Amino acid sequence: MSHPHLLTPEEKLADAKKRLSLPHIVVICGSTRFMSEMTQADLRETRVGRIVVKPGYDMKSPDGLSSDPAEAEALKARLDDLHRAKIRLADEALVVGDYIGDSTRAEIAYARSLGKPVRFTHPEVDPDA
């Protein structure tokens, strides 16, 4: 007797996106020092019909960090968790900028571990190239 195949959460999400006829979803990754470039990439991706999710909070801006180091670290951890959720939601990642720091390198590795394609605005910075 064969058992029915139970769908993984990722398969359920892919099925739901297909049933809803959602356009391709792109998550923008990279250092928040490239926020204006991320906005330009968002415009380009949206123009061709893709849904775009990107960092919504710039911890490098003057009002981005709390003066309390513990609060700042807790906020960064929450934002990192939120961005990983955006990566799980997306169909592919687009890395913006000509610099890859530790956080962006971790985002790229996470996206690739999930089997997500990763594109670069500056392919020469691809850590796996």
Side-chain angles (χ1 to χ4, degrees):
M1 173 177 178
S2 92
H3 296 283
H5 171 69
L6 296 177
L7 297 177
T8 66
E10 293 80 9
E11 291 169 329
K12 288 178 183 179
L13 177 59
D15 184 57
K17 288 176 2 183
K18 184 177 178 180
R19 288 173 178 254
L20 292 168
S21 300
L22 290 180
H24 193 76
I25 301 172
V26 176
V27 60
I28 294 179
C29 299
S31 171
T32 56
R33 73 174 71 171
F34 300 114
M35 285 299 271
S36 88
E37 290 90 340
M38 288 179 181
T39 299
Q40 292 303 309
D42 184 348
L43 293 171
R44 286 190 304 275
E45 296 295 315
T46 299
R47 190 176 300 134
V48 297
R50 296 182 181 119
I51 293 173
V52 178
V53 291
K54 63 181 175 50
Y57 195 90
D58 181 1
M59 297 219 22
K60 291 181 175 71
S61 70
D63 63 340
L65 283 175
S66 167
S67 59
D68 178 353
E71 284 180 22
E73 191 58 36
L75 174 60
K76 180 171 180 355
R78 287 194 312 274
L79 293 174
D80 287 347
D81 287 345
L82 180 61
H83 199 69
R84 281 189 295 276
K86 292 175 184 181
I87 292 169
R88 288 191 305 275
L89 175 67
D91 299 304
E92 76 170 315
L94 173 61
V95 180
V96 173
D98 61 358
Y99 164 79
I100 304 292
D102 291 339
S103 293
T104 303
R105 190 176 321 281
E107 293 168 359
I108 293 165
Y110 185 62
R112 287 182 167 153
S113 78
L114 298 172
K116 311 278 180 175
V118 179
R119 286 189 288 137
F120 292 80
T121 59
H122 293 77
E124 67 275 10
V125 299
D126 181 349
D128 294 337

